Amino acid sequence: MATVQAVFIKGHENRTEPKPHTVYRIEVQGPVRSWQVWRRYSEFDDLDTELGKTAGSRPPAALPPKHTFSFRRKFNEDAIIKEREEGLETYLRAILSNKDARWRECVAFKTFLTIPTTSSMGAATSDPSSSAGPQQFTSSSWLDEHTALQSLVRDIKADINKRNALSDAGEVTQSHQTNVQAKKKLANLLTRIGGLAKGLDDMQKTGMSDGEVQRRGDMIARLQDECEKLGKMVIAA
């Protein structure tokens, strides 16, 4: 999977809201930039279930077992969490390195890691369904594409709202079809964000200022955050 070169679990935090829980810090290394994602164990469990449904079988490595911490002595908890970190890292790496790409190509997996593209860092085209080849961005056309992707985010949110309304009305088939449509748009969004990242890398190489590169990198990161939120919404259906 060309968009991710390595993945690591780099520690954890204990949080108190909305109730006490542990989140694990995932470091994702791509060819252009690296980023961090925080996930709790229950989110890994949800991902595992979704990948099993979408790909037709469970991922190549199993999740580490669930533990109930309350009955264990406090001095054992750090060792248990460390063991879980290692198991979660093994789980993600098995998906990334397996010769069968069906799990890592699932929208659920890409949104879980906020991966900005599908199978490579190839840039988006002006028509994402076109085979015309990579788009060469100018500074202005890059901003136009970013604006278009913001609009696509709004479209996906509208689809999710429509899906929920249809579900509440008992229109199960139409609700499912709308959710499938939202997933397809989200996959398109992820691919085109990859195009923005590749375009920004190209413009940096041709002399764009560090300050502007940083500003646009932050714009990409905000889109990736939106993808993460939307991914949870479409998976929850």
Side-chain angles (χ1 to χ4, degrees):
M1 189 176 195
T3 51
V4 174
Q5 296 178 331
V7 62
F8 306 93
I9 304 293
K10 289 287 192 177
H12 68 277
E13 285 184 3
N14 294 318
R15 298 181 179 175
T16 59
E17 298 293 339
K19 62 181 181 180
H21 64 280
T22 301
V23 289
Y24 299 90
R25 180 164 64 91
I26 307 168
E27 181 177 301
V28 187
Q29 295 183 356
V32 177
R33 56 182 294 172
S34 298
W35 63 94
Q36 294 179 4
V37 185
W38 293 89
R39 293 282 184 257
R40 56 191 302 178
Y41 182 86
S42 61
E43 291 177 288
F44 277 90
D45 196 37
D46 290 343
L47 172 68
D48 190 64
T49 299
E50 180 67 17
L51 292 179
K53 291 193 299 183
T54 304
S57 65
R58 292 288 186 176
L63 287 172
K66 296 179 181 179
H67 290 293
T68 301
F69 293 110
S70 58
F71 72 93
R72 295 175 179 271
R73 294 176 62 88
K74 178 66 175 69
F75 64 82
N76 282 332
E77 291 184 9
D78 287 343
I80 293 168
I81 290 176
K82 178 64 176 176
E83 179 183 346
R84 177 173 284 181
E85 289 175 359
E86 293 172 353
L88 294 175
E89 182 174 287
T90 297
Y91 175 81
L92 293 175
R93 288 187 172 188
I95 293 172
L96 289 171
S97 63
N98 196 277
K99 63 181 181 180
D100 189 338
R102 56 182 159 155
W103 297 284
R104 60 180 175 268
E105 289 301 323
C106 290
V107 172
F109 185 73
K110 295 183 175 75
T111 55
F112 184 83
L113 292 182
T114 65
I115 299 171
T117 186
T118 51
S119 61
S120 71
M121 285 300 292
T125 63
S126 55
D127 176 0
S129 64
S130 168
S131 59
Q135 179 178 355
Q136 299 299 314
F137 285 110
T138 65
S139 179
S140 177
S141 67
W142 192 97
L143 293 172
D144 290 342
E145 174 70 354
H146 179 268
T147 299
L149 295 190
Q150 288 179 310
S151 178
L152 182 55
V153 167
R154 291 191 291 270
D155 286 347
I156 297 169
K157 289 180 178 178
D159 283 344
I160 292 170
N161 290 335
K162 179 180 178 182
R163 175 205 70 189
N164 293 342
L166 288 168
S167 178
D168 291 342
E171 300 289 346
V172 177
T173 300
Q174 292 183 23
S175 176
H176 173 72
Q177 290 173 345
T178 303
N179 196 59
V180 170
Q181 178 176 289
K183 285 185 176 182
K184 290 179 179 178
K185 289 181 180 179
L186 182 57
N188 179 19
L189 176 62
L190 287 162
T191 300
R192 293 170 68 180
I193 290 174
L196 281 186
K198 177 64 166 59
L200 182 58
D201 185 46
D202 291 342
M203 288 188 289
Q204 182 179 25
K205 292 175 181 176
T206 55
M208 179 173 280
S209 69
D210 290 343
E212 184 64 10
V213 169
Q214 180 62 51
R215 184 179 79 86
R216 297 193 185 201
D218 290 342
M219 293 165 68
I220 292 173
R222 286 191 289 272
L223 283 173
Q224 290 173 332
D225 288 342
E226 290 284 2
C227 282
E228 178 181 349
K229 295 173 185 176
L230 292 170
K232 291 179 180 179
M233 292 179 186
V234 297
I235 291 172

